């Protein structure tokens, strides 16, 4: 299944980047003192709850009633309005002091091609030769097969399917090597990596076909392409915010294969979305995450037999393996138009108006004021399903946080310019990294293979995935309330972007 759509999120991110002014003061990062409620954890009286309880009042957190705390139950009533169990408290935050960032370079592990019958699978990692290998990933033998059976030996002939986790474990193809020079401050746009010029290495010992040969400036002459002896990680042509460091891949002028893809090029992104309980519209979407009990790499859609009765319901069964409600489906891709170079357009006010309850014509307007729970500076419109069934409505739900009715929209239209303002200006490999409370969005300028890694501030790797294309959304909800995280994006063994992120 393929669809064609505009990536309005990506355009919004670029628009924000185009008008951003570089700040000289570091942006303070705050973490919530309160956490999301998870029944069964216990110790509810030792913290405050910011989400996850039923019937929570707006902008209010809760802690366990002190009269109940002595009992310290593991499972508890989850209705915030039940004062026997819960007491409203202020939702407090604390500032996270800036911390130095540990810089890394990435070196190949030396993984090899798999060949069945060798019997030494626990001695190597494999970059090719196995079936169903994920792009940009390598695999090692699952040593649990030896610990499960004391005295067992590695078999001579072995299952060769990478997705069979009984035998194989996914691993990174590169080692992260801490840079020995001084650490980089989080808000600095400069890199602590000292470039290596061709004078520091014997080029005759390197293979001219390897990327390292080019990275070290070997083979560069006095031609129009300068040797790669300057810093590999220069500041971005789009000014980063104070909490963001975006680094371009090299000071070398890009070759024709590295030029920015024009707006006429088509990229792909996931058609399926993350399931959100209470959002509605379940018959209109397929889901890649968010349902309970989902199989890895499998997407789901509402059982067609339930569509007629429950297609417009807000609350349904969220268990993927309950076939009464859900059935497996293809994790399809949709075609998207990559974000346009901000030098080729200007932004004009879209003409959104203030919402007036009872005025009607809600399907024809976007709104920049008057709705309940609006975020300052944001605009909203009815979701497409409501536009279809509320054409003649005079009174509707005015609360923008109700996803059954409203969705965020751009407050400005993109108007193309006759000529680019500066068509020759180079663009960074990664244009923006933006995070909210549930997802991380990356907008890049090239559709090459990239690896996104998430670290804690001690350098521990928490998440890694490889992607292609120019727009990438990552489920970030699992990091909510767990402190500052460092996002790094690499292309090959080059760091091309990084940003400190705190998800509330």
């Amino acid at each position: 299944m393929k669809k064609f759509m505009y990536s309005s999120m990506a355009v919004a991110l670029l628009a924000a980047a185009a008008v951003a002014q570089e700040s000289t003061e570091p942006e303070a990062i705050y973490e919530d003192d309160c956490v999301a409620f998870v029944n069964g954890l216990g110790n509810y009286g030792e913290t405050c709850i910011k989400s996850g309880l039923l019937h929570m009042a707006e902008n209010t957190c809760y802690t366990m009633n002190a009269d109940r705390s002595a009992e310290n139950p593991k499972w508890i009533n989850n209705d915030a309005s039940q004062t026997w169990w819960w007491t409203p408290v202020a939702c407090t935050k604390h500032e996270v002091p800036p911390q130095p960032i540990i810089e890394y370079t990435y070196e190949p592990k030396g993984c090899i091609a798999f060949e069945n019958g060798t019997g030494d699978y626990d001695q190597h990692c494999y970059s090719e030769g196995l079936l169903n290998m994920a792009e940009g990933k390598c695999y090692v033998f699952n040593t649990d097969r030896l610990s499960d059976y004391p005295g067992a030996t590695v078999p001579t002939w072995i299952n060769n399917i990478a997705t069979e986790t009984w035998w194989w474990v996914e691993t990174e193809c590169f080692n992260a090597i801490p840079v020995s020079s001084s650490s980089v401050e989080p808000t600095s746009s400069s890199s602590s990596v000292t470039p290596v010029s061709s004078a520091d290495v014997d080029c005759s010992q390197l293979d001219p076909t390897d990327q390292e040969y080019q990275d070290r400036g070997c083979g560069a002459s006095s031609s129009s392409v300068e040797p790669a002896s300057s810093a590999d990680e220069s500041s971005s042509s789009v000014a980063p915010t104070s909490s963001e460091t975006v680094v371009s891949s090299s000071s070398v002028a890009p070759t024709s294969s590295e030029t920015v893809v024009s707006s006429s090029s088509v990229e792909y992104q996931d058609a399926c979305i993350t399931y959100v309980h209470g959002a509605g519209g379940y018959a209109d979407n397929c889901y890649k995450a968010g349902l309970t009990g989902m199989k890895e790499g499998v997407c789901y859609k509402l059982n067609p037999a339930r569509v007629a009765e429950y297609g417009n319901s807000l609350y349904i069964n969220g268990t993927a393996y309950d076939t009464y409600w859900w059935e497996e489906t293809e994790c399809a891709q949709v075609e998207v138009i990559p974000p346009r170079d901000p030098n080729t357009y200007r932004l004009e006010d879209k003409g959104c108006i203030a919402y007036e309850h009872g005025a009607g014509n809600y399907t024809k307007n976007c709104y920049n004021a008057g709705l309940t729970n609006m975020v300052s500076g944001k605009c909203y419109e009815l979701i497409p399903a409501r536009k279809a069934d509320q054409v003649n409505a005079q009174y509707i739900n005015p609360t923008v946080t109700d996803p059954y009715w409203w969705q965020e929209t751009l407050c400005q239209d993109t108007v193309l310019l006759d000529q680019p303002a500066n068509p020759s200006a180079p663009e960074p490999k990664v244009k923006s990294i933006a995070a909210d409370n549930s997802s991380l969005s990356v907008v890049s300028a090239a559709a090459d293979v990239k690896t996104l890694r998430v670290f804690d501030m001690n350098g521990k790797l928490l998440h890694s995935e490889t992607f292609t294309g120019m727009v990438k959304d990552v489920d970030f909800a699992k990091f909510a309330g767990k402190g500052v995280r460092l996002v790094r994006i690499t292309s090959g063994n080059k760091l091309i972007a990084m940003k400190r992120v705190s998800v509330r």
Side-chain angles (χ1 to χ4, degrees):
M1 178 182 70
K2 292 183 178 179
K3 299 179 181 178
F4 187 72
M5 69 179 188
Y6 287 90
S7 179
S8 59
M9 176 204 70
V11 174
L13 292 173
L14 277 182
V19 299
Q21 298 296 320
E22 185 173 4
S23 173
T24 58
E25 293 295 327
E27 179 182 347
I29 294 182
Y30 294 88
E31 286 185 359
D32 290 335
D33 296 319
C34 305
V35 299
F37 173 78
V38 178
N39 219 336
L41 292 183
N43 298 317
Y44 310 108
E46 297 180 4
T47 185
C48 60
I49 306 299
K50 66 177 181 179
S51 63
L53 293 171
L54 300 176
H55 306 132
M56 298 180 72
E58 185 178 354
N59 298 322
T60 303
C61 292
Y62 294 81
T63 191
M64 188 176 178
N65 187 325
D67 294 337
R68 309 284 87 72
S69 296
E71 303 171 15
N72 194 26
K74 186 173 183 180
W75 297 90
I76 190 173
N77 179 297
N78 67 339
D79 189 337
S81 64
Q82 296 293 316
T83 56
W84 171 267
W85 290 104
W86 299 102
T87 301
V89 295
C91 298
T92 59
K93 299 179 181 181
H94 63 275
E95 184 174 353
V96 180
Q99 301 178 42
I101 295 175
I102 302 173
E103 189 56 85
Y104 295 88
T105 58
Y106 297 90
E107 295 183 356
K109 281 184 177 178
C111 299
I112 64 174
F114 172 81
E115 182 180 350
N116 219 334
T118 61
D120 57 353
Y121 314 112
D122 59 335
Q123 305 298 316
H124 304 287
C125 67
Y126 296 98
S127 57
E128 58 180 308
L130 293 167
L131 300 179
N132 299 338
M133 299 180 74
E135 184 178 14
K137 293 292 184 179
C138 294
Y139 295 80
V140 294
F141 175 73
N142 188 344
T143 54
D144 287 346
R145 300 292 72 76
L146 302 181
S147 59
D148 288 346
Y149 307 101
T153 59
V154 178
T156 302
W157 297 90
I158 192 173
N159 178 300
N160 66 337
I161 303 174
T163 51
E164 293 287 350
T165 55
W166 172 267
W167 291 106
W168 300 103
V169 178
E170 189 177 283
T171 186
E172 294 294 318
C173 299
F174 296 88
N175 285 320
I177 310 298
V179 175
S180 58
S181 57
S182 59
S183 298
V184 180
E185 288 301 317
T187 56
S188 172
S189 61
S190 63
S191 167
S192 66
V193 179
T194 303
V196 180
S197 69
S198 58
D200 299 318
V201 66
D202 184 357
C203 294
S204 64
Q205 301 300 313
L206 300 177
D207 185 346
T209 64
D210 288 345
Q211 182 62 41
E212 185 180 3
Y213 186 87
Q214 301 298 329
D215 293 343
R216 294 176 177 263
C218 298
S221 64
S222 58
S223 63
S224 58
V225 179
E226 293 296 325
S229 59
S230 58
D232 284 335
E233 296 146 12
S234 62
S235 59
S236 165
S237 62
V238 177
T241 63
S242 59
S243 63
E244 177 181 16
T245 303
V246 177
V247 241
S248 64
S249 62
S250 173
S251 60
V252 178
T255 64
S256 58
S257 63
E258 296 172 329
T259 53
V260 177
V261 179
S262 68
S263 60
S264 61
S265 298
V266 177
E267 299 297 330
Y268 298 92
Q269 70 180 31
D270 292 339
C272 300
I273 62 175
T274 299
Y275 172 83
V276 177
H277 198 57
Y282 307 114
D284 301 326
N285 302 298
C286 60
Y287 297 95
K288 64 181 181 179
L291 292 167
T292 302
M294 297 180 74
K295 295 179 183 177
E296 185 176 358
V298 177
C299 293
Y300 295 80
K301 66 179 181 181
L302 190 65
N303 186 332
R306 306 286 83 75
V307 170
E309 185 175 358
Y310 298 102
N312 293 319
S313 298
L314 288 181
Y315 298 99
I316 63 174
N317 183 300
T319 306
Y321 50 77
D322 189 335
T323 55
Y324 180 84
W325 289 96
W326 300 98
E327 64 178 34
E328 296 180 8
T329 188
E330 176 191 6
C331 292
Q333 298 276 299
V334 293
E335 297 177 358
V336 296
I337 296 178
R340 182 178 295 276
D341 180 348
N343 291 316
T344 65
Y345 66 84
R346 71 175 183 273
L347 299 176
E348 289 187 356
D349 187 87
K350 189 186 286 187
C352 298
I353 63 174
Y355 173 84
E356 182 180 346
H357 200 56
N361 293 320
Y362 307 113
T363 62
K364 299 179 181 179
N365 302 306
C366 61
Y367 298 96
N368 56 15
L371 291 164
T372 304
N373 295 338
M374 295 183 73
V375 177
S376 178
K378 302 285 188 180
C379 295
Y380 300 84
E381 64 181 1
L382 285 176
I383 69 168
R386 300 294 78 75
K387 286 184 178 181
D389 61 25
Q390 300 291 328
V391 173
N392 299 315
Q394 186 175 0
Y395 295 98
I396 62 173
N397 184 316
T399 305
V400 296
T401 49
D402 187 337
Y404 181 81
W405 288 94
W406 298 98
Q407 66 183 12
E408 187 179 314
T409 186
L410 297 177
C411 297
Q412 299 168 307
D413 282 324
T414 301
V415 179
L416 299 182
L417 301 175
D418 293 335
Q419 295 292 333
N422 187 5
S424 62
E427 294 193 10
K429 286 255 185 169
V430 174
K431 294 186 175 182
S432 63
I433 302 173
D436 58 25
N437 288 351
S438 61
S439 66
L440 179 85
S441 299
V442 177
V443 179
S444 55
D448 54 350
V449 178
K450 295 174 282 292
T451 300
L452 181 147
R453 297 178 177 87
V454 181
F455 299 86
D456 64 18
M457 295 308 292
N458 294 319
K460 180 181 179 182
L461 179 64
L462 305 175
H463 176 81
S464 175
E465 63 178 281
T466 299
F467 68 97
T468 57
M470 301 175 69
V471 178
K472 178 64 178 177
D473 293 332
V474 180
D475 182 7
F476 229 58
K478 63 183 177 182
F479 298 119
K482 296 184 178 180
V484 179
R485 297 292 179 252
L486 183 64
V487 178
R488 298 178 185 273
I489 301 176
T490 56
S491 177
N493 64 346
K494 286 183 176 293
L495 175 69
I496 59 174
M498 64 182 177
K499 183 177 181 179
R500 295 170 71 232
V501 175
S502 178
V503 183
R504 297 173 175 81

